[in-house]
Amino acid sequence: MLGVFQDMAIGILDLIGEDAFFAGSPTPTKINIEHGVQLAGIGGDEAVYKGDMAVNRDVATVLSSLRPKAKDTFVQNGRTYRLEFLVEDNGVTRRFAIMEV
């Protein structure tokens, strides 16, 4: 069953992702960047209403098979990005807050 979800993730990133060179690899892969994603503190989405800090960050979705981790970099559209911290890991893709370097 995991193979089905991996195939789906690859298909989705093929549609919405853009070519990127991950961790210095000469072979491009697809990575999707979402701009201005709201990330809330402890307590999840409802934390915003409790006064916890919420920030807007850019978030990249990367295939888990690439074994991405914080501090890895990738180049997309001539810009270099660094993975800052893990936002979500569903076993097929990992989402990281990113920063342009």
Side-chain angles (χ1 to χ4, degrees):
M1 188 57 116
L2 183 59
V4 172
F5 288 109
Q6 288 171 330
D7 290 344
M8 287 175 27
I10 290 168
I12 291 169
L13 284 176
D14 280 345
L15 291 172
I16 64 172
E18 294 185 38
D19 284 340
F21 297 93
F22 182 75
S25 172
T27 306
T29 188
K30 297 286 188 175
I31 295 177
N32 182 55
I33 296 177
E34 299 168 72
H35 298 281
V37 176
Q38 188 175 71
L39 302 176
I42 298 170
D45 294 333
E46 56 285 342
V48 177
Y49 305 108
K50 295 180 187 172
D52 287 350
M53 185 175 83
V55 295
N56 291 337
R57 296 290 304 262
D58 295 339
V59 174
T61 301
V62 184
L63 291 171
S64 293
S65 61
L66 297 173
R67 296 193 301 228
K69 61 189 178 313
K71 306 229 187 304
D72 283 345
T73 61
F74 66 93
V75 178
Q76 186 179 71
N77 297 323
R79 295 178 171 174
T80 302
Y81 297 93
R82 181 178 58 226
L83 305 180
E84 292 295 307
F85 58 88
L86 185 66
V87 174
E88 177 186 29
D89 182 353
N90 65 17
V92 178
T93 61
R94 292 180 186 165
R95 299 178 71 223
F96 286 87
I98 60 171
M99 178 178 285
E100 187 173 355
V101 292

